[in-house]
Amino acid sequence: MPELPEVEGLARFLRAEAVGSVVATVTMASIAALKTVDPPVTALAGLSVTGAARHGKFIDLDVDGLHLVFHLGKAGWLRWYDSIPATPLRPGKGPIAMRVRLDSIEGGEPYGFDLTEAGTKRRLAVYVVRNPRDIPAIAALGPDPLAMALPEFDGLVRSSHAQIKGVLRDQNLIAGVGNAYSDEILHAAKLSPFAMADTLDADAVRNLFDRMHEILAGAVAAADGKPAKALKDAKRSGMRVHGRAGEPCPVCGDTVREVSFADSALQYCPTCQTRGKILADRRTSKFLK
Ligand SMILES: [Zn+2]
């Protein structure tokens, strides 16, 4: 799933490539992905793209005062075309959920992008609104971690009676961090994903805050200027423990371990994060007894 750095990279990419264009057509191939009815997507046609912004993991394309907002979900992505295919979309068939055709005011071939979604779980969401805050999930977002100051972070972490991994991923507390970057941040901060947030002392929270900044700002810098299709690979190659179960920890050489859940898994390094303790995992615990 794209998280803050990749979504920020996509927003910057769209700012560079799409702002100044005129929307020719917006076509929904997956009606289920469209979460709003008023204004209709057809209202965007003929209007200019005037901006592209990010709210948490949402991308917000400003189309002359209307907002085409999307969330890529778990398996969604944006595919950019310098020359967009003229073949009509077949509703309900294949991975394409939406196609946006753009015209340059100087003329030439139409270009634009598709939103695609792999797999069968449809989580990609598209909204057309007059104000992004009309979308309840955006109105409820917590502060952006890169715009947050330490006292605010300290306050929200140490008032949360929940596991720190869950606190970092809770979009209503901190906007934009998901499963992958929370693994990376906790590894860098040398904290167990299961540590209770409200038991951390001020030094641990300050260290967590600094590592969060380092990891996210570093990943945003790495994503900056990359074309849409390169952002996924950039994310994967920058990960030290996330998605690397069984590989050696690049800090201490211990084997990166995994805890799996119904539809996700977290990775961590026992030596760096849990004083060598192997956390129980529902798939392997029967073998460890
Ligand atoms: Zn380690």
Side-chain angles (χ1 to χ4, degrees):
M1 175 196 266
E3 299 180 26
L4 184 155
E6 295 76 42
V7 177
E8 179 65 28
L10 285 173
R12 290 181 186 186
F13 176 82
L14 288 172
R15 219 173 291 151
E17 300 293 329
V19 168
S21 311
V22 175
V23 175
T25 54
V26 178
T27 314
M28 298 303 303
S30 164
I31 292 303
L34 183 62
K35 305 302 179 189
T36 52
V37 289
D38 177 44
V41 286
T42 50
L44 300 164
L47 302 179
S48 298
V49 179
T50 49
R54 176 184 63 80
H55 313 285
K57 294 186 243 177
F58 291 83
I59 291 179
D60 170 8
L61 210 57
D62 191 337
V63 185
D64 209 8
L66 290 180
H67 294 261
L68 175 63
V69 178
F70 47 90
H71 189 292
L72 294 166
K74 209 167 172 163
W77 200 250
L78 183 148
R79 184 195 291 158
W80 178 263
Y81 299 94
D82 290 327
S83 175
I84 199 156
T87 46
L89 292 181
R90 293 186 302 162
K93 298 260 163 63
I96 300 172
M98 178 181 80
R99 173 164 291 170
V100 177
R101 292 166 67 90
L102 301 168
D103 285 324
S104 164
I105 49 168
E106 285 115 39
E109 293 265 302
Y111 45 96
F113 63 91
D114 289 341
L115 297 186
T116 62
E117 189 170 33
T120 51
K121 282 190 181 159
R122 297 295 177 203
R123 293 188 181 163
L124 189 143
V126 176
Y127 313 78
V128 182
V129 290
R130 294 177 182 86
N131 182 338
R133 294 186 65 82
D134 293 343
I135 299 164
I138 289 184
L141 284 175
D144 195 273
L146 292 176
M148 205 185 316
L150 176 60
E152 187 181 8
F153 182 73
D154 184 280
L156 75 83
V157 167
R158 292 207 283 162
S159 63
S160 296
H161 186 61
Q163 292 169 347
I164 188 62
K165 168 93 179 167
V167 170
L168 292 177
R169 287 186 66 181
D170 185 338
Q171 299 303 296
N172 298 347
L173 294 176
I174 300 166
V177 176
N179 191 35
Y181 284 97
S182 57
D183 277 353
E184 294 299 299
I185 292 164
L186 291 169
H187 175 252
K190 300 194 183 301
L191 284 175
S192 166
F194 294 159
M196 295 302 287
D198 56 1
T199 65
L200 299 178
D201 65 22
D203 287 345
V205 173
R206 173 188 291 271
N207 182 47
L208 177 62
F209 178 78
D210 290 344
R211 300 291 84 75
M212 176 177 77
H213 254 261
E214 245 166 50
I215 300 258
L216 294 177
V220 166
D224 195 28
K226 287 213 165 61
K229 64 172 185 265
L231 288 169
K232 241 191 237 180
D233 293 336
K235 177 186 175 190
R236 201 171 296 130
S237 64
M239 295 284 153
R240 283 179 283 195
V241 288
H242 183 75
R244 299 200 180 278
E247 296 180 30
C249 167
V251 173
C252 73
D254 192 3
T255 302
V256 173
R257 300 281 180 157
E258 175 165 271
V259 180
S260 59
F261 304 96
D263 64 350
S264 71
L266 68 79
Q267 287 86 31
Y268 69 101
C269 168
T271 295
C272 289
Q273 294 176 257
T274 57
R275 295 179 189 162
K277 184 174 179 264
I278 310 289
L279 301 173
D281 178 73
R282 67 189 185 98
R283 284 186 315 184
T284 54
S285 55
K286 57 176 178 270
F287 304 113
L288 287 175
K289 276 177 197 159

